[in-house]
Amino acid sequence: MEFRPLSQLLLMLSLAQSGLAQDVSPILSADPPGPQIFSGETVKLTCLIPGWRVSAWRYYWQTNGQRVHSSDLNYYIIRDLKEQSHTYKCYGTSDYGGSQWSNEVTLTVIERPKATLYPVPDRKAFSGERVTLTCVIQGDMGSEWRYMWSKEGYSENPFHSSGEKTEYSLHVVESDSGVYTCKGQRKQDSQSSKTSDAVKLTVSAVKPKPELTSSLQGAALIGNPVTLYCKLEQSAGWRFYWSKHTQNPENETSTETSSTTISSVTPSDGDQYWCRAGRGNPVYYTHYSDALWVNITEAYGGKYTCRGERSDSQSSDTSDARTLTVSAKPQAVLSMFPQSWLAEGDPVTLSCEVRGSSTGWTFSWYRYEHTLLSDSIRGAGGSYTVSSAAVNHTGVYVCRAERGKPAYQTHYSNPQTLWVTGVSSIVSLIISPNRSQHFSGQSLSLSCEDQSNSTTWTVMQHTHSGRVSDCSSGGGSVTGSTCVYNVLYKSHTGVYWCQSESGVARSPVNITVHNGKVILDSPVHVVTEGDHLTLRCLYSFTKSSNLRADFYKDGLLILNQTTGEMMIHKVSKSDEGLYHCKHPERGESPHSWVLVKAGESPGLVGLTLWLTLALVFIILLTLVMLCCYQINKGGVSWSPPFGSRRNTTQEKSEIGAVEGCQSACTEDLAEDTHIYDTAEQTDISGQDSGAVCSDVTYADIELKVRKKATKKQEMASANTDTVYSELKNTGKGETAGCTEPTYYSIN
């Protein structure tokens, strides 16, 4: 009975807990929280009983008065919700009784919205053009979204996302072609929209070129209208730009439609016209169309006849009719062959013509500010040839035609720029990085280096805008003769050179800035024949040149599937041409012209040297053989013509030469045998020692080889190994004054 108080205490605690269990109210929550849930979404309902362990309870959920789920876990997952509304609540039971009902949670199921992707321009773009992908959530009911864009169906791994902006823009290259989608994710609960329908985007590497036509087949009559059409078979969104006389963007007019009309033509409307199209921001432009001539006919054009009438009023028959067409003043057309970019020594021909006109024209050529070339000869041939181009031929050329008396002249032709590169002894344009192609966004340094420091040089540029200016006008930072572009843009593509204060241009180079992913690492300066040349295909997102690529020359595949390099061990003139490379996935590079100049052939230099050495050797060998031949015949003799003069020193030197020749040829002599030859001039008896003898004494020398002495001969003489020459007087010169020579013979 001593345990009765403890039992009573436990009973009281149990009753207290039971009472607490019945008083507790669970809290029901949903994830996503709702109240709007997209159809097909998964929802997690959690029943939380405050102050109790989860395992102490069993949980029950019901909707619309019906129990739908029970579990020892305090959550209930509803998958693939359908399009209807439901109200949920929960309660729990334990060993101490049941809880109260929880709060109610209402889930309203709505249709999941779908994203729509709008590309601008629509579906077809061109390399370097800006494309904008806009993602719109249909029926979003004012929700805040974050947007995601995916390529090739990888919606779970988007390549770009944005917290607010519905647009994503990029400058495309050919490798950006593909299938794109987008979707949205609601910020408040992370529910996602349906993925948009796939949009296929095609990016072409070839810039389009429109075709310009006229509403008239022939010349336009003054006062009548004429319409020009700019035909471009591409996607929409283009604005059209029109040029007259020159391709100058500053003087262009533009229209929303692809045509423009001159309502009433005048003689001044007769000229060359071009068109091009552009779209986007910044504007992406097509190529210019080919030039179209609009000829204007005066009112007095037409058919003419004539007839004659005699003094007696009798008339001849009327002539056949002749048609006279009167047009506006034509413009000459200038072209260059083979191309406008040359190496020193290359030939170039400038051709001038008046299209759509009859013959009888003579032509003149001009450079710079319409300065007539001094060696330009007017003629009907229409061509001006430079047989061997030099650096000073660099410049802008035009031509003009004329005919008749007094001379009727055409307009000046379109300008053509001729660039001649070579090794300048005056100044060099140094490029860093040292290549002709560069990626946009990178930096570039150009510096004019003058070896003599005698002239101040400025880096000049001629870009696609058609204007010539110094480097600073293109955004470059100039310090002395150095120009630095911290950030390159495609508009910086053009020709750069060094120009002196007097206007002399030197060391031109061609620079191409590319927006794409692949460029060709090619030489910026001219290459000399015989040099080693390496071309590399570079990728914008790696420093390695190990890029598998195909190489092309003049549009033809010459090497494929390489490791990114193409080597020419000995460059020749035939290697000159237009090169580019292409990667099967990353795109292709722009084209670069590789110039090759003639150089002195190392093989020819070596051949000349060897021929010279061979000739010297043959001459020396012949002299030695002749000398030996004389020795073998029995001796060498000097018989100078009578009256010739020699001094003793010359005589001795010639004797020494004979000795050397003999010693080289008498191999049968004993090693210890010596030959001594002496020729001395003696005074003539009775002659004054101070007198000057007008004649010279000559010695007739004969050298003989003696056989080796016998033993008896060796005993009879102390110096048997020595050969002595016997001197005999063969002639006397006793006439006073030594007017006759004295001869000696040495045997």
Side-chain angles (χ1 to χ4, degrees), residues 488-510:
L488 285 173
Y489 298 98
K490 189 176 179 66
S491 59
H492 289 134
T493 295
V495 180
Y496 294 77
W497 67 94
C498 297
Q499 185 163 305
S500 68
E501 293 175 326
S502 60
V504 175
R506 290 289 185 270
S507 193
V509 299
N510 195 19

Side-chain angles (χ1 to χ4, degrees), residues 400-540:
R400 187 169 64 174
E402 64 179 46
R403 68 180 178 185
K405 291 184 179 180
Y408 175 81
Q409 296 176 326
T410 67
H411 289 297
Y412 285 103
S413 71
N414 54 300
Q416 285 279 5
T417 306
L418 177 64
W419 299 102
V420 183
T421 63
V423 179
S424 173
S425 59
I426 303 175
V427 65
S428 297
L429 181 56
I430 306 302
I431 308 296
S432 180
N434 187 22
R435 59 176 184 256
S436 61
Q437 295 186 14
H438 304 267
F439 291 111
S440 60
Q442 293 185 340
S443 61
L444 176 67
S445 172
L446 305 98
S447 180
C448 295
E449 293 191 1
D450 186 353
Q451 302 297 329
S452 62
N453 294 323
S454 59
T455 306
T456 300
W457 298 90
T458 303
V459 177
M460 302 294 290
Q461 63 180 6
H462 180 265
T463 58
H464 287 176
S465 65
R467 291 176 293 178
V468 174
S469 60
D470 61 19
C471 177
S472 61
S473 64
S477 175
V478 178
T479 304
S481 296
T482 299
C483 173
V484 176
Y485 289 102
N486 294 317
V487 179
L488 285 173
Y489 298 98
K490 189 176 179 66
S491 59
H492 289 134
T493 295
V495 180
Y496 294 77
W497 67 94
C498 297
Q499 185 163 305
S500 68
E501 293 175 326
S502 60
V504 175
R506 290 289 185 270
S507 193
V509 299
N510 195 19
I511 297 296
T512 301
V513 181
H514 186 42
N515 286 334
K517 299 178 180 179
V518 179
I519 63 171
L520 179 67
D521 183 357
S522 59
V524 69
H525 293 291
V526 64
V527 182
T528 304
E529 280 188 307
D531 286 353
H532 177 81
L533 174 63
T534 300
L535 302 177
R536 296 180 179 88
C537 211
L538 302 182
Y539 180 45
S540 60

Side-chain angles (χ1 to χ4, degrees), residues 7-308:
S7 299
Q8 290 177 349
L9 179 61
L10 292 175
L11 178 61
M12 292 175 65
L13 289 174
S14 175
L15 291 173
Q17 288 182 335
S18 176
L20 289 174
Q22 293 177 355
D23 291 337
V24 70
S25 296
I27 300 174
L28 181 62
S29 62
D31 183 25
Q36 293 180 342
I37 303 297
F38 295 150
S39 63
E41 193 72 53
T42 297
V43 177
K44 181 179 180 181
L45 298 175
T46 302
C47 190
L48 179 63
I49 299 179
W52 293 84
R53 290 181 291 107
V54 172
S55 58
W57 297 85
R58 183 170 181 80
Y59 303 89
Y60 301 88
W61 289 265
Q62 79 172 31
T63 179
N64 301 332
Q66 294 182 351
R67 181 184 297 176
V68 292
H69 185 68
S70 65
S71 173
D72 290 334
L73 301 175
N74 71 335
Y75 59 85
Y76 168 40
I77 296 177
I78 308 172
R79 304 182 187 277
D80 193 19
L81 280 173
K82 302 302 181 182
E83 295 182 14
Q84 54 186 334
S85 297
H86 298 278
T87 300
Y88 293 87
K89 62 182 179 178
C90 71
Y91 74 97
T93 61
S94 68
D95 294 337
Y96 307 105
S99 71
Q100 300 292 324
W101 285 100
S102 71
N103 58 297
E104 292 185 344
V105 172
T106 300
L107 300 179
T108 301
V109 182
I110 63 174
E111 175 67 22
R112 184 185 298 270
K114 183 177 181 179
T116 303
L117 182 62
Y118 298 97
V120 178
D122 184 22
R123 302 184 184 274
K124 185 165 185 179
F126 301 92
S127 182
E129 188 175 8
R130 182 178 179 178
V131 173
T132 299
L133 303 175
T134 302
C135 192
V136 177
I137 307 299
Q138 303 293 338
D140 63 358
M141 294 170 292
S143 301
E144 293 186 355
W145 299 84
R146 60 176 62 91
Y147 301 89
M148 293 165 283
W149 290 264
S150 303
K151 183 181 178 183
E152 307 298 347
Y154 296 106
S155 59
E156 301 304 321
N157 186 23
F159 67 85
H160 181 75
S161 61
S162 172
E164 297 178 358
K165 294 182 178 180
T166 62
E167 297 178 350
Y168 170 64
S169 298
L170 69 161
H171 286 88
V172 295
V173 294
E174 192 175 10
S175 59
D176 289 320
S177 297
V179 176
Y180 291 82
T181 58
C182 77
K183 68 177 181 179
Q185 187 178 68
R186 205 159 60 174
K187 290 183 178 181
Q188 64 191 49
D189 53 18
S190 299
Q191 294 187 78
S192 297
S193 70
K194 291 181 181 179
T195 302
S196 70
D197 292 335
V199 174
K200 184 176 181 181
L201 178 66
T202 302
V203 181
S204 174
V206 180
K207 181 181 288 190
K209 181 179 180 180
E211 179 186 3
L212 180 60
T213 59
S214 170
S215 59
L216 301 176
Q217 297 297 323
L221 187 64
I222 290 179
N224 286 356
V226 61
T227 301
L228 303 180
Y229 301 96
C230 194
K231 185 178 180 182
L232 185 65
E233 295 181 353
Q234 303 297 342
S235 53
W238 298 97
R239 187 174 183 86
F240 295 87
Y241 299 83
W242 311 87
S243 296
K244 176 185 175 183
H245 188 60
T246 59
Q247 297 176 2
N248 188 349
E250 295 181 354
N251 297 329
E252 285 180 331
T253 60
S254 64
T255 60
E256 293 289 345
T257 61
S258 60
S259 64
T260 183
T261 300
I262 304 173
S263 58
S264 179
V265 297
T266 64
S268 63
D269 293 320
D271 212 323
Q272 282 190 110
Y273 289 83
W274 294 267
C275 76
R276 64 173 177 169
R279 66 182 179 187
N281 184 22
V283 180
Y284 172 85
Y285 293 101
T286 68
H287 286 298
Y288 279 101
S289 68
D290 292 332
L292 174 69
W293 275 99
V294 174
N295 294 317
I296 308 300
T297 299
E298 300 284 359
Y300 42 76
K303 293 184 177 181
Y304 289 82
T305 60
C306 70
R307 67 176 181 175

Side-chain angles (χ1 to χ4, degrees), residues 54 65 110 154 302 319 365 367 389 459 551 554 625 660 664 743-745:
V54 172
I110 63 174
Y154 296 106
S319 69
W365 287 264
R367 187 167 65 168
V459 177
F551 287 87
D554 299 328
M625 292 178 64
Y743 295 93
Y744 294 92
S745 176

Side-chain angles (χ1 to χ4, degrees), residues 645-689:
R645 300 177 180 267
R646 300 189 182 201
N647 57 42
T648 306
T649 303
Q650 290 175 327
E651 186 176 352
K652 288 184 178 181
S653 65
E654 291 179 354
I655 294 172
V658 174
E659 290 177 351
C661 184
Q662 183 178 12
S663 64
C665 302
T666 55
E667 297 179 356
D668 56 343
L669 290 175
E671 293 181 0
D672 56 350
T673 301
H674 302 283
I675 300 176
Y676 297 91
D677 305 299
T678 304
E680 297 181 358
Q681 180 177 351
T682 59
D683 293 338
I684 301 176
S685 176
Q687 184 175 343
D688 185 4
S689 61

